[in-house]
Amino acid sequence: MRVGADGVLLAVNDAALSLLGAETLTQVLETAITDRLVPDHHELWRDFITRVFSDGSASLDCDMVDRAGVVRSVRLQGNAITDHPDGIRSMILGARDLSATRRLELALQDQETTGKASEQLRAEVADARAARDSATAAAEESQRAAEALRGELERSLAEQGRMSDGIVQRDHDRRQIESALKRRDEESKFLQAAIERYESEHQRLEAEVDRAIGDGRRLQLEIEQAQGLVAQAQREVGQAHDEIALARAEREKAVSEREQVRAELEYLRAELEQSRAEHEEFTAMVKNKDVSRQKMLAEHATARMQAERALADASARHERLAKQIEILAREIAPSERSE
């Protein structure tokens, strides 16, 4: 578990969910771990928190109550975290369930008590055997006095029978006790093996916690490197924005120049149309004059020469305008293709 300095659960793995008696993370995250401690151990928890953040690590044996109300004896091992990316003062908390170990200890105590009882029963069996030997000696003595003390013999035989029944019963009890002792020995071996398995699992979990701490530090380093790359990318994006703004300004300037050229082209086209109209009007005039040319040839020879010169001038002007339009069209065409 990852626990804040205020006791709030920040991260929980599946094993911790099982220990807390929860099924989903939402049931335990952002809740206080002190809610799961028995009230008598709250003061121990505050002292534990102080030792963790002052010494870097500490341990605590306490009792926890899961969501179902089951009380478990646990051993908490805390390691302080001082450089977590989210900046929250917290620690890695490992919890080891000692309930099974406590049950094993109680079972061993019961076994010791049973051993003492077995020793007492063995002593009673020895006393019974001694009593049986004494009874056998008494029976032999009574047999030697059988003829003189028949009545006493009968009573002694009756007593011997009762004692024999007691001895048989004691032998039966002794066999049961020996069988129980054998079972206790087997259970003790099984419990010892279970304790060794628990110790091995605890060592494995401690190794995993160490690896998790190492992975967390490596992740912190990778995050810092990634933040540096992000800052560099942001600077490059800012430069790209500046270049895009400059390109847009240049494009707007080119568009403005193109519009100006188009206006000049329209003006030249209008002049060309006017020249063509004048040429057509002059041609019509020439045709009209051709009708009366025969009559007015001599009179209008000079006028004809002037008209021809004017026509030549108009043609030359028309050719110049056409060339200018063609040049302007070639200048406009590359800028339109580049856009």
Side-chain angles (χ1 to χ4, degrees):
M1 295 171 283
R2 180 177 172 229
V3 183
D6 55 355
V8 174
L9 291 169
L10 304 175
V12 178
N13 64 10
D14 293 340
L17 280 179
S18 176
L19 180 66
L20 298 173
E23 297 179 355
T24 61
L25 290 174
T26 56
Q27 293 176 329
V28 295
L29 290 182
E30 303 301 327
T31 63
I33 191 173
T34 52
D35 295 341
R36 304 269 67 87
L37 298 179
V38 297
D40 294 340
H41 292 171
H42 285 186
E43 186 63 28
L44 295 176
W45 169 261
R46 286 190 286 271
D47 178 69
F48 169 69
I49 285 289
T50 301
R51 287 188 288 113
V52 168
F53 289 106
S54 63
D55 300 336
S57 64
S59 62
L60 170 66
D61 290 349
C62 60
D63 294 336
M64 295 184 66
V65 183
D66 64 15
R67 293 173 59 87
V70 179
V71 180
R72 291 185 173 89
S73 296
V74 297
R75 175 169 295 164
L76 302 178
Q77 179 67 39
N79 292 279
I81 301 175
T82 58
D83 55 350
H84 198 275
D86 59 11
I88 298 176
R89 192 164 177 252
S90 59
M91 66 177 171
I92 291 293
L93 184 65
R96 179 185 176 191
D97 190 353
L98 301 178
S99 300
T101 305
R102 296 289 172 82
R103 288 195 294 271
L104 291 174
E105 291 174 355
L106 293 175
L108 290 174
Q109 293 175 0
D110 291 341
Q111 183 178 1
E112 291 176 359
T113 303
T114 305
K116 293 178 181 179
S118 299
E119 292 295 333
Q120 185 177 359
L121 288 174
R122 288 192 181 98
E124 292 178 358
V125 169
D127 293 340
R129 287 176 178 174
R132 183 186 61 183
D133 294 339
S134 177
T136 302
E140 291 176 354
E141 184 179 356
S142 63
Q143 286 176 357
R144 288 192 296 267
E147 294 179 357
L149 301 170
R150 185 176 297 275
E152 186 67 26
L153 177 60
E154 290 177 356
R155 287 192 297 273
S156 297
L157 289 174
E159 182 66 22
Q160 183 182 4
R162 287 193 300 272
M163 293 181 68
S164 297
D165 292 339
I167 291 170
V168 171
Q169 182 64 35
R170 289 296 178 89
D171 289 339
H172 177 70
D173 294 340
R174 179 180 58 78
R175 287 192 295 270
Q176 288 183 341
I177 290 171
E178 290 176 351
S179 177
L181 289 174
K182 184 177 180 181
R183 287 196 301 272
R184 288 289 183 179
D185 291 339
E186 292 176 352
E187 291 177 356
S188 177
K189 292 178 181 178
F190 174 76
L191 293 175
Q192 184 63 31
I195 291 172
E196 292 176 355
R197 288 196 300 272
Y198 278 114
E199 292 294 337
S200 176
E201 182 67 16
H202 175 66
Q203 293 176 358
R204 185 184 66 81
L205 290 175
E206 288 181 346
E208 289 182 356
V209 168
D210 293 337
R211 287 196 298 271
I213 292 172
D215 292 341
R217 291 174 178 172
R218 287 194 297 273
L219 287 173
Q220 176 66 22
L221 180 59
E222 292 176 357
I223 289 171
E224 292 175 355
Q225 293 175 352
Q227 289 175 348
L229 294 175
V230 169
Q232 182 180 358
Q234 289 176 348
R235 290 193 296 271
E236 293 177 354
V237 168
Q239 293 176 357
H241 282 312
D242 295 339
E243 293 176 356
I244 290 172
L246 180 61
R248 285 178 178 174
E250 293 178 353
R251 179 181 177 184
E252 291 175 356
K253 182 179 179 181
V255 170
S256 177
E257 292 177 354
R258 185 187 65 182
E259 293 297 330
Q260 184 178 359
V261 171
R262 283 181 177 176
E264 292 177 357
L265 180 61
E266 292 296 332
Y267 174 75
L268 292 174
R269 284 177 179 172
E271 288 188 352
L272 178 61
E273 293 295 331
Q274 184 179 359
S275 297
R276 286 177 178 174
E278 291 177 356
H279 180 268
E280 291 177 355
E281 182 180 357
F282 189 81
T283 303
M285 185 184 296
V286 170
K287 288 181 180 180
N288 291 330
K289 287 183 179 182
D290 285 340
V291 176
S292 58
R293 185 184 50 157
Q294 296 298 329
K295 295 179 181 180
M296 301 176 64
L297 182 60
E299 296 176 1
H300 295 88
T302 305
R304 181 178 179 181
M305 293 176 65
Q306 292 176 354
E308 287 176 354
R309 283 195 299 271
L311 180 60
D313 294 336
S315 297
R317 184 180 179 186
H318 174 71
E319 288 177 358
R320 287 195 303 273
L321 290 174
K323 289 180 179 179
Q324 290 179 358
I325 290 171
E326 184 179 0
I327 292 170
L328 290 172
R330 284 197 299 270
E331 291 177 352
I332 292 171
S335 61
E336 290 180 345
R337 284 196 299 271
S338 63
E339 290 179 359

